[in-house]
Amino acid sequence: HAQLVESGGGSVQAGESLTLACVASEYVFSRFCIGWFRQAPGKEREGVANIANTGTTRYVDSVKDRFTISRDIAKNTVYLQMKSLTPEDSGTYICAAIYTTYCYRWAQQGAVNYWGQGTQVTVSS
């Protein structure tokens, strides 16, 4: 039984938009802050955005003002709306859950308790 299941990846042109979704189990959604990491070939996996149960959101500087993370409590789902995409945004986007107490470590891989399977985002110039 997967705790996190992503969807919504795809191939787009630069400047276009995509929205990713991560459906969490009830257990995870209620106890963990959930966010997204991304990994491009040959690059380190980096934290992109995170949202806590309080609604507090966090973003890596490179996506601020372009990406929006949100949560739908009724659907146990976290969304990542991505606008003005550039080729540098390409990579595998992976949903990640961190136990609430450690949300401040949202961008650290070592803090992640659950990973999704990942969804590919490709942005062409």
Side-chain angles (χ1 to χ4, degrees), residues 2-7 20-38 46-60 68-81 93-108 111-117:
Q3 302 285 1
L4 300 169
V5 179
E6 303 104 325
S7 62
L20 308 181
C22 175
V23 180
S25 66
E26 177 69 33
Y27 170 77
V28 170
F29 194 83
S30 62
R31 294 170 176 80
F32 294 72
C33 52
I34 297 173
W36 297 86
F37 284 70
R38 68 184 176 190
E46 68 168 347
V48 175
N50 185 279
I51 186 166
N53 289 349
T54 58
T56 298
T57 57
R58 300 173 177 91
Y59 300 92
V60 68
T68 302
I69 191 168
S70 61
R71 58 202 298 260
D72 184 330
I73 295 173
K75 296 181 179 180
N76 287 355
T77 300
V78 171
Y79 299 97
L80 185 67
Q81 295 176 284
Y93 282 68
I94 310 156
C95 187
I98 298 172
Y99 189 65
T100 299
T101 303
Y102 301 105
C103 286
Y104 66 95
R105 298 177 59 195
W106 70 274
Q108 299 176 25
V112 174
N113 300 102
Y114 297 101
W115 293 101
Q117 81 282 3

